Amino acid sequence: MKNDHLEWTVAYRPGTLLARSYKAGKLVRETKRETTGAPAALTLAPHQTTLTANGTDVAVIAVGAADAQGRAVPDAGHTVTFTLSGPGRIIGVGNGDPSSHEPDQFLPGLTLIDAAGWREKLTTGSDLDALLAPGLACDDWPAAFARDTKARTTPESKLVYRATLDVPALPVDSTLKLLLGAFGETQTVYLDGQRVAEGTSAALTLVDLKPEQLVPGRHQLAVVATPFARADIYENLALKKLAIVRIDSPAPAWQRKLFNGLAQIIVQTTGDSGQIVLRAESAGLAAATVTLIAKPKL
């Protein structure tokens, strides 16, 4: 014995490894290790089940896999998906694998797409339909937002602005909004030749869009504006981002792969009291649930 520790080497074979210790010929302790079967069910073991409903208290929950006899399987590597209900939120997952590139958090997504390549055309309105036609090439139009724009207008003038939007594939259940700056005193907005909004520039700053209006690919954005009354506004217009598509996507499902048969998940209270139920699922394994109680702060 060295440093109160005993160790020895044995040849491996499946079965039970039993260690017994004796003192004065009397058995004082016994422990064993058994070869486990295939993973059959997930397990959840929180370090505490009663939380204070203060918005900061947490429970750290060990996630594992057990065989049909309930023994922990140390080499399980299943991907586990988590869902939560009640006054709690998941704030992180982990598994201790130093080589893992899995995310520790699964958060809502935000994508911003700037309209690019702005061009402008001055018109009296008689050729407006042609200037708004989908697919119209406008590379020969002047660059938009010139400082002398006001000097070139008349009381009957309208300005047609065109740009492109390159839209990536959208996650399911995304919401889309077009954020608008002021192009003129009044403005009418067209997407791929279809009118989507009109109003004064002060009121028309946000347009809700549907996913079918912005399928992946290149789209054409056009704005028909009544020129500003003040000439000085055009001096800095080119420096502003006047049209941005905001794409909000829901958070992906929380998940983590077991490493050496284990993972962890951290659940935090929201500040409300009640039952928090965490459910863990993995293909081919029986699911596991654990209930936490969030009690009011005393």
Side-chain angles (χ1 to χ4, degrees), residues 191-205:
L191 183 61
D192 296 326
Q194 300 296 313
R195 185 173 64 184
V196 294
E198 64 180 328
T200 64
S201 59
L204 186 56
T205 59

Side-chain angles (χ1 to χ4, degrees), residues 47-72:
H47 90 286
Q48 62 175 354
T49 57
T50 301
L51 306 177
T52 301
N54 57 7
T56 59
D57 201 8
V58 299
V60 180
I61 302 165
V63 186
D67 66 8
Q69 282 71 50
R71 299 171 297 192

